[in-house]
Amino acid sequence: MPSSDRKQIRASARAALQAGLTGWTEFFAWAQSVNAEHLPAWAVATPSERRSSASQDSAQRETTLVVVVKLLGGDLIEDDLDEAADQIEAAVVAALRASNLM
């Protein structure tokens, strides 16, 4: 998968999250901190890729897509993160499938 495919994976994920997480702030995935006034917030990154040879004339690549979520903490933070994860996974998987990237 060329780097342009990684770029397309990130773009598809971003578009899905921009449409689905209204009221959330998008931030740069490698930012050290996000101010509380901008929460909830999300970012996407493709931090790693693994290549393996499937045969002499073909290779397989596995790209890791990460969605970073930042929320204000509270007593139910884990429940809030679980709910966000379900929503994010559904949106991103649908977008990647629609773009033939998955």
Side-chain angles (χ1 to χ4, degrees):
M1 177 181 300
S3 63
S4 60
D5 288 343
R6 290 191 304 273
K7 185 175 183 176
Q8 190 176 0
I9 288 169
R10 290 189 305 272
S12 292
R14 278 190 190 100
L17 296 176
Q18 288 165 346
L21 296 178
T22 55
W24 288 53
T25 303
E26 180 180 0
F27 70 97
F28 179 62
W30 307 111
Q32 294 297 314
S33 64
V34 177
N35 293 334
E37 67 225 28
H38 295 115
L39 299 180
W42 62 269
V44 298
T46 50
S48 66
E49 184 174 76
R50 186 174 42 171
R51 287 180 35 164
S52 61
S53 294
S55 67
Q56 285 186 330
D57 59 350
S58 68
Q60 180 176 343
R61 292 187 185 201
E62 183 177 306
T63 302
T64 300
L65 171 68
V66 175
V67 178
V68 179
V69 173
K70 296 194 178 235
L71 301 173
L72 285 174
D75 291 342
L76 301 176
I77 188 69
E78 289 178 342
D79 292 342
D80 294 341
L81 287 169
D82 289 342
E83 184 178 319
D86 291 343
Q87 182 181 1
I88 289 165
E89 182 178 4
V92 170
V93 167
L96 294 176
R97 284 189 176 142
S99 299
N100 292 319
L101 294 166
M102 183 175 188

